[in-house]
Amino acid sequence: MQKKQTATIYDVASRVGVSLATVSRVVNGNSNVRESTKRKVLDAIEALGYHPNAVARGLASKKTTTIGVVMPDVTDMYYSELARGIDDVANMYHYDVLLTNTDEDPVRETMAVNNLASKQVDGIIFMGNELDREILNTIAAVDAPVVLAGSLDEEGILPSVNIDYVAAVKEATELLIRNKHDRVALVTGPMVHAINKHHRLVGYQAGLEAANIAFDDSLLFATHQDYSAGLQVAEKIFAAQATAAVVYDDEVALGIMNYMRDHGKSVPEDFEIITSNDTKFAIVTRPELTSIGQPKYDIGAVAMRMLTKLMNNEVVDDMQVQLPHTFEKRGTTINPQP
Amino acid sequence: MQKKQTATIYDVASRVGVSLATVSRVVNGNSNVRESTKRKVLDAIEALGYHPNAVARGLASKKTTTIGVVMPDVTDMYYSELARGIDDVANMYHYDVLLTNTDEDPVRETMAVNNLASKQVDGIIFMGNELDREILNTIAAVDAPVVLAGSLDEEGILPSVNIDYVAAVKEATELLIRNKHDRVALVTGPMVHAINKHHRLVGYQAGLEAANIAFDDSLLFATHQDYSAGLQVAEKIFAAQATAAVVYDDEVALGIMNYMRDHGKSVPEDFEIITSNDTKFAIVTRPELTSIGQPKYDIGAVAMRMLTKLMNNEVVDDMQVQLPHTFEKRGTTINPQP
DNA sequence: ACACAATTTGCAAACGCTTACAATGACTAA
DNA sequence: TTAGTCATTGTAAGCGTTTGCAAATTGTGT
C-alpha cells in the first residue's frame, strides 16, 4: 500500500499564494476573507483534493468533533435503538461517534471512559446500570460533559434522559391488578442497580399499595437481560404461582412467554405479561407483547442534543429529562374492548 | 465546567528531571530506559495523573489506533452482531471504533468513508450491499486498508469476509425441494446488489437446476429489510402460490410467517420457510425459524483481525475469506426424524 | 489629496507528542 | 591507561492545524 501523498493546508496555501491562515479561514467558513480569494482557495482545494486533517485540527483547536458512547452491548435491541437516536443527532451536529461495549462490567466501563478521555472526545453519552462510586468518580474527573441515556445514577445528579420508570411500572402493575391478578410478579435486573431498586421496585410497590395488596418479595425476580434468562426465571415464576408479570426486558419477557406456553399455560388467558422496552421483539411474535412504550430513539436523540448544548456551554434548563411513555396494549394482556 | 488542568508529558519530564524523550519512551514501553529512571517516571505519572493525549500522539506518529466501521444500521440485528465481533477484537488489539450508520444510502456511505479518512483512522471495515463504482473509487482513494464484512463488491477484489452464499442458498433451496415443494420462492434484496444477483440468485437457480425445476421469475421477490416488508411481500408470495420460501433476512421471514399464519396457512405444514441470518429473532418465536447458520460474530471478528494484519503490513494469505456456514433446522421446516 | 476606519491578510506561536540523531556515560578488553 | 562498545539520555525537528495580534490594503468623508 503505497503512501498516497495527501495535500496539506500548506500545499493549497502556496499554490494560491496566500498564507496558511487564509486557507484555514476559508476552510472554517470564517467571514473575513475577500470573496475573490475565497474563490481561488476553494479551487485549489478542489484541484488538490485537499481534506483537512482532523487530528491536527483537534490538537490545535482542542476540539475533536467526536463524542464517545459507552453502552452495554450493541447487540441489545434496547440500547442499539438508543444508539441510533444518538448517532443521528450526532451526525446532524457533525460529531462522530466512538462506540464502546462494556457488557455492564464496571471495570470495562471505567476503562472506556478513561480511554475516551485520553482520545479527547468532546463529550460522552453513558448507558449502563452499574453506576457505582468508582465510575461516578472517573466521570467526574473527565474534562468533558457526560450525559446518561436510559440510565440513572444513585444520586440523580448527572445530566440524564429517561422516562418516569416509577410511574410506568406502577401503571403496568395497576393494569394487571385491574385484570384481577393478585399475584403479579416483577422481573427486573439486580437490586444493586439504582434503576431497579429506586424506580422499578418503587413503582411496583406503589401499584400494589394503591390496590391494597401486600408486597410479597417472593414475587420479585432478578435476571440478567437475555432470552435464556427469561426461560429460566419463568420456571420460578411458575412455581411461585404468579399469574402475571411486569418484565423489564423484551427478550426476557419472550422467554417467559414461551416457557409458559410450552408448559400448558396460554397467554394471556392464564398468564399476562407486560414488558418494558417495546423493541422489535415485541411485535414480531404471536401474540405480540403488551409493553410500556418507551421513546427509545428519542431518549438517545434528546440525550445527544443535550450533550451538544453542554459542549457549547449553553444553558440547559432541565438536566434530568423525563420523556413521556405510553402503553402499547397488545396480545399478552387481556384488553377491554373499547 | 472549569478546565481541569491536565498534565502533559512535559510536566512529568520536568518533575523527574529527564527529557521528554525519556518519558515518551517509558510511556511507550520502549526498552532502552534504565530501570531506576523508569521507576521514577512511572511514579511521577501516577502522582500527576498523567494520561497521554491521543490526539497529539496521533499527529506525531500518524497512527490513531482508531478504526472506522461503516454499517447500514446498528439497529439491524445482523449487522450489530457483526459489529460486536469487530469491536471485541478491535479492543483486543487496542483499537477504538468509530461507528457510522448509513442506511445503505450510497451518498452517506461515501461521506462516511471520506470523513473517516480525514479523521485519519488506521483502517476501515465496511458493511453494506450497495458497493457501486463511486464508493469503490472513494475506498480506493483512502490511505488506509479497508475490509468488507458480510458484504461483497461486484469484482470481488476488496479484502472481505463472508460465507459461501451461493452454496448456502443452493442447499436451502434443495432442502425445500426435497420436501416436495416445486414452487419455492426466493426473497432477497434488490437485484442491483452483487450479493443478490451474483450469489443468492445463482445459488437458488443452481438448486432448481439440480432438481430439474424450471426457473420461474415470478417466484423472485425483492424487499427491503424489515418486518413490515415481510408482511407485505407475503401477500404476493401467497398469491403466487408458492408453498415455501428461502428468505434473506430474519425480520422479513418473520413477517412472512406471521402473514401466512394469519391467513390460515400453518407453518411448516402448509408453508415452509428457511431464513438466512439466524439472529435472535429466529429462536424467539414459535415456531422457531429454520435458518442458514451464519457465524456472524466470527465474520466480524475475522474481518477485524484481517484488518489488523493489513494495518501492520503483514502478509494476508487469503484476502477473500469464506467462513463455514451451517443449517439450523427448526420449526419452520419439516425435518425428517433421525 | 489626507487622515482614519474597516476590511483582508500574514506571522508565528502554540497544541502535546514521536523519533531520528547526537551526545553522554559506563564498561570492557587489551 | 585507552580506544571501542553498549546502554542510556537528551536535542530538536517535525506532525498539520488554529488563532491572537500585527501589518497591509482598501475604502470613506472632507
Side-chain angles (χ1 to χ4, degrees):
Chain A
M1 185 148 302
Q2 79 277 16
K3 266 269 158 293
K4 282 131 192 159
Q5 187 54 48
T6 50
T8 74
I9 198 174
Y10 181 81
D11 297 323
V12 358
S14 72
R15 175 183 239 255
V16 180
V18 296
S19 71
L20 301 190
T22 301
V23 176
S24 175
R25 288 191 188 98
V26 352
V27 167
N28 292 293
N30 189 309
S31 46
N32 297 353
V33 181
R34 187 181 304 153
E35 194 56 37
S36 62
T37 69
K38 179 173 173 181
R39 198 54 267 148
K40 287 191 286 184
V41 170
L42 256 17
D43 288 347
I45 286 175
E46 170 77 24
L48 267 48
Y50 166 75
H51 291 281
N53 178 323
V55 175
R57 215 201 275 238
L59 182 58
S61 69
K62 327 203 55 44
K63 303 219 159 301
T64 53
T65 60
T66 301
I67 63 133
V69 170
V70 358
M71 71 190 314
D73 185 8
V74 240
T75 264
D76 181 312
M77 219 47 165
Y78 175 72
Y79 290 111
S80 68
E81 292 194 21
L82 292 194
R84 192 49 147 98
I86 294 168
D87 191 62
D88 282 357
V89 352
N91 268 342
M92 202 171 298
Y93 286 88
H94 303 291
Y95 285 97
D96 292 306
V97 172
L98 225 33
L99 207 288
T100 318
N101 293 290
T102 62
D103 290 321
E104 304 230 32
D105 176 347
V107 176
R108 290 169 64 186
E109 291 178 331
T110 303
M111 284 181 47
V113 171
N114 280 327
N115 180 240
L116 290 171
S118 83
K119 288 252 168 164
Q120 312 292 119
V121 295
D122 296 338
I124 293 179
I125 293 200
F126 188 99
M127 300 181 255
N129 297 315
E130 184 77 47
L131 279 152
D132 64 13
R133 252 298 114 237
E134 182 171 3
I135 295 175
L136 254 19
N137 287 340
T138 93
I139 285 178
V142 167
D143 181 27
V146 175
V147 358
L148 306 180
S151 312
L152 289 159
D153 60 312
E154 191 90 20
E155 288 91 349
I157 274 180
L158 290 173
S160 65
V161 181
N162 292 281
I163 62 166
D164 183 343
Y165 299 106
V166 176
V169 173
K170 173 163 187 268
E171 290 161 31
T173 306
E174 287 178 327
L175 189 152
L176 257 15
I177 292 173
R178 217 176 303 129
N179 281 1
K180 311 282 182 257
H181 296 279
D182 53 6
R183 290 189 68 73
V184 176
L186 176 67
V187 182
T188 70
M191 275 305 155
V192 295
H193 297 166
I195 192 171
N196 297 319
K197 183 174 45 177
H198 297 323
H199 296 261
R200 294 195 178 110
L201 177 56
V202 169
Y204 171 72
Q205 290 177 319
L208 253 32
E209 187 168 354
N212 260 311
I213 296 179
F215 169 64
D216 175 356
D217 71 2
S218 71
L219 289 173
L220 225 52
F221 301 88
T223 70
H224 52 276
Q225 246 174 90
D226 63 39
Y227 179 68
S228 61
L231 252 17
Q232 286 163 25
V233 77
E235 190 179 348
K236 298 184 202 149
I237 296 174
F238 191 105
Q241 317 223 24
T243 56
V246 177
V247 184
Y248 78 129
D249 177 88
D250 293 355
E251 285 186 60
V252 174
L254 251 22
I256 294 172
M257 174 168 87
N258 285 337
Y259 180 95
M260 290 300 169
R261 297 173 78 196
D262 292 347
H263 288 74
K265 301 251 184 198
S266 56
V267 176
E269 292 77 7
D270 305 327
F271 195 91
E272 293 188 63
I273 301 173
I274 299 182
T275 186
S276 302
N277 293 344
D278 194 25
T279 62
K280 289 181 192 172
F281 282 115
I283 55 165
V284 122
T285 55
R286 290 299 144 84
E288 299 178 350
L289 297 176
T290 291
S291 182
I292 295 169
Q294 288 198 44
K296 293 176 295 300
Y297 181 93
D298 295 338
I299 291 176
V302 169
M304 182 62 215
R305 180 62 184 104
M306 188 159 156
L307 188 61
T308 64
K309 289 183 184 165
L310 260 15
M311 293 188 293
N312 287 324
N313 298 307
E314 296 173 24
V315 306
V316 176
D317 21 281
D318 192 356
M319 290 290 241
Q320 272 80 36
V321 176
Q322 287 194 333
L323 262 24
H325 61 275
T326 59
F327 267 91
E328 305 299 327
K329 296 190 181 176
R330 292 193 277 248
T332 56
T333 49
I334 294 170
N335 308 312
Q337 295 305 317
Chain B
M1 183 146 303
Q2 78 276 16
K3 265 273 154 287
K4 283 131 192 160
Q5 188 53 48
T6 51
T8 74
I9 197 174
Y10 181 81
D11 297 323
V12 0
S14 72
R15 176 183 240 256
V16 181
V18 297
S19 72
L20 301 190
T22 300
V23 177
S24 175
R25 289 194 187 93
V26 353
V27 168
N28 292 294
N30 189 309
S31 47
N32 299 352
V33 181
R34 186 182 302 154
E35 194 56 36
S36 63
T37 68
K38 180 172 171 181
R39 202 48 274 146
K40 286 192 286 184
V41 170
L42 255 16
D43 288 347
I45 286 175
E46 171 77 25
L48 267 47
Y50 166 74
H51 290 281
N53 178 324
V55 174
R57 214 201 276 237
L59 183 58
S61 69
K62 328 207 46 49
K63 301 218 161 302
T64 52
T65 61
T66 302
I67 63 133
V69 169
V70 358
M71 72 191 311
D73 184 8
V74 240
T75 264
D76 181 311
M77 219 50 166
Y78 176 72
Y79 290 111
S80 69
E81 292 195 19
L82 292 195
R84 192 48 147 100
I86 294 169
D87 191 61
D88 281 358
V89 352
N91 268 342
M92 202 172 296
Y93 287 88
H94 302 291
Y95 284 97
D96 291 307
V97 172
L98 223 35
L99 207 288
T100 319
N101 292 290
T102 62
D103 291 322
E104 305 231 31
D105 176 348
V107 175
R108 290 169 65 185
E109 290 178 332
T110 303
M111 283 180 47
V113 171
N114 280 328
N115 181 239
L116 289 171
S118 82
K119 288 253 168 161
Q120 312 294 118
V121 294
D122 296 338
I124 294 178
I125 294 200
F126 188 100
M127 300 181 253
N129 296 315
E130 182 78 44
L131 279 153
D132 63 12
R133 253 295 115 236
E134 183 170 3
I135 294 175
L136 254 18
N137 287 341
T138 93
I139 284 178
V142 167
D143 181 27
V146 175
V147 358
L148 307 181
S151 311
L152 290 158
D153 60 313
E154 191 89 22
E155 287 92 350
I157 275 181
L158 291 174
S160 64
V161 181
N162 292 281
I163 62 166
D164 184 342
Y165 299 107
V166 175
V169 172
K170 173 163 187 266
E171 290 160 31
T173 306
E174 287 178 327
L175 190 152
L176 257 14
I177 291 173
R178 217 176 303 128
N179 280 3
K180 309 283 182 258
H181 296 279
D182 53 4
R183 291 188 69 73
V184 176
L186 175 69
V187 181
T188 71
M191 275 306 156
V192 294
H193 296 165
I195 192 172
N196 297 320
K197 183 174 44 179
H198 297 320
H199 297 261
R200 295 195 178 109
L201 178 56
V202 168
Y204 171 72
Q205 289 176 321
L208 253 33
E209 188 168 351
N212 260 312
I213 297 179
F215 169 65
D216 175 355
D217 71 1
S218 71
L219 289 173
L220 226 53
F221 301 88
T223 69
H224 53 276
Q225 248 176 88
D226 64 40
Y227 179 68
S228 61
L231 251 16
Q232 286 163 26
V233 77
E235 189 179 346
K236 297 185 201 148
I237 296 174
F238 191 105
Q241 317 223 26
T243 57
V246 177
V247 184
Y248 78 129
D249 178 87
D250 294 355
E251 284 186 60
V252 174
L254 251 23
I256 294 172
M257 174 168 87
N258 285 338
Y259 180 94
M260 291 299 170
R261 299 172 77 197
D262 292 347
H263 289 74
K265 300 250 184 198
S266 56
V267 177
E269 292 77 5
D270 303 327
F271 195 91
E272 293 189 64
I273 301 173
I274 298 181
T275 186
S276 303
N277 293 343
D278 193 26
T279 61
K280 289 181 192 172
F281 282 116
I283 55 166
V284 123
T285 56
R286 290 298 143 84
E288 299 179 350
L289 296 176
T290 290
S291 182
I292 295 168
Q294 288 198 44
K296 294 175 294 300
Y297 181 93
D298 295 338
I299 292 177
V302 170
M304 183 62 216
R305 179 64 185 103
M306 187 160 158
L307 188 61
T308 64
K309 290 184 183 163
L310 260 15
M311 292 187 294
N312 287 326
N313 297 307
E314 296 172 25
V315 306
V316 176
D317 21 280
D318 192 357
M319 291 290 242
Q320 273 81 39
V321 176
Q322 288 194 333
L323 262 25
H325 61 274
T326 60
F327 267 91
E328 304 300 327
K329 295 189 181 175
R330 292 192 279 247
T332 56
T333 49
I334 294 170
N335 310 310
Q337 295 305 318

